[in-house]
Amino acid sequence: MRQLLLILGFIYSLTAETSDKLTIAAASDLRYAMADIVSLFQQQTQLDVRVIYGASGKLSTQIRHGAPYDMFFSADISFAQQLYQDGLAATAPRPYALGHLVLWSPKQNMAGISLSQLAEFDFDRLAIAQPAHAPYGQRAKQALQAAGVWQALEAKIVYGENIAQTAQLAQSGGADIAIIALSLARFPELASQGYQPIPTELHQPLLQAYVITRHGADNLAARQFAAFVATPAVLDIMQRYGFEQGRFEQPGVEQPETQ
């Protein structure tokens, strides 16, 4: 009986090690960039990859409640760090980009318009992501406060569940102006309208990082994808969507290794 259990255990570990399926939880600012990255990865590996997008805070909570995600790409490294500290991630957080905010509207070209000018604009609704669980929403609020217009505009603000939904809110007419991720504004469907970058000194950095979760610790596909993320082809995709690349100096943070 003991020998049978050992054999079954070996078979189970082997199956986990050679899994050909990968489930990724990814911040919504990655919606378009990640689609390109996964497509390229699948072409090279033939692996089955599923990506679930959402606000980083909510995805982190789902992982804490047992959601079967193998990897977690967070728009704010703090969520990944906390999972690792709490034993819910098998790897230390690895930064993959700095994210950037932009002022965007489906109705007019926002290029050259600063946040401080918004208080003078005649519009009904400004969309931002929910600051309670979306890093881009939290940074948007910080930027509006730093620009001195939060109090004047607060009554006009409507909230998207995540940054992708915030862009959709404006696209559908639910808001006149939106503060969204540069990575979304670079998508052709949105890039037809000009946008205005929001100065990074107005908010805390959007240092983004990923971890392999405890659930994905024995999934070979997760380690393959982690290695793939550091390749020049992926870095080119990230840069094309406006994600800033480089070494991100922060104590206790594992640095990415480019290949």
Side-chain angles (χ1 to χ4, degrees), residues 103-231:
L103 195 59
W104 179 84
S105 171
K107 300 180 178 181
Q108 65 183 97
N109 189 333
M110 298 302 291
I113 306 299
S114 68
L115 289 184
S116 60
Q117 292 176 281
L118 287 182
E120 305 166 9
F121 266 55
D122 181 19
F123 68 96
D124 294 324
R125 292 179 294 274
L126 168 66
I128 70 172
Q130 176 54 252
H133 50 246
Y136 277 87
Q138 183 190 70
R139 303 316 195 272
K141 181 177 180 179
Q142 290 174 357
L144 289 167
Q145 290 173 327
V149 294
W150 173 262
Q151 190 171 357
L153 298 176
E154 188 174 5
K156 296 184 176 184
I157 293 177
V158 292
Y159 298 97
E161 188 67 16
N162 53 61
I163 198 62
Q165 191 184 90
T166 303
Q168 291 166 1
L169 192 60
Q171 279 182 292
S172 65
D176 307 294
I177 303 171
I179 296 178
I180 64 173
L182 173 59
S183 59
L184 302 181
R186 285 279 185 93
F187 189 64
E189 191 175 314
L190 280 71
S192 58
Q193 198 66 275
Y195 57 82
Q196 177 61 32
I198 292 175
T200 55
E201 59 265 24
L202 294 180
H203 60 81
Q204 293 176 335
L206 277 158
L207 178 58
Q208 310 195 185
Y210 73 87
V211 292
I212 295 175
T213 66
R214 185 171 64 189
H215 177 273
D218 297 322
N219 190 335
L220 179 59
R223 294 199 292 275
Q224 288 178 302
F225 194 81
F228 185 69
V229 166
T231 61

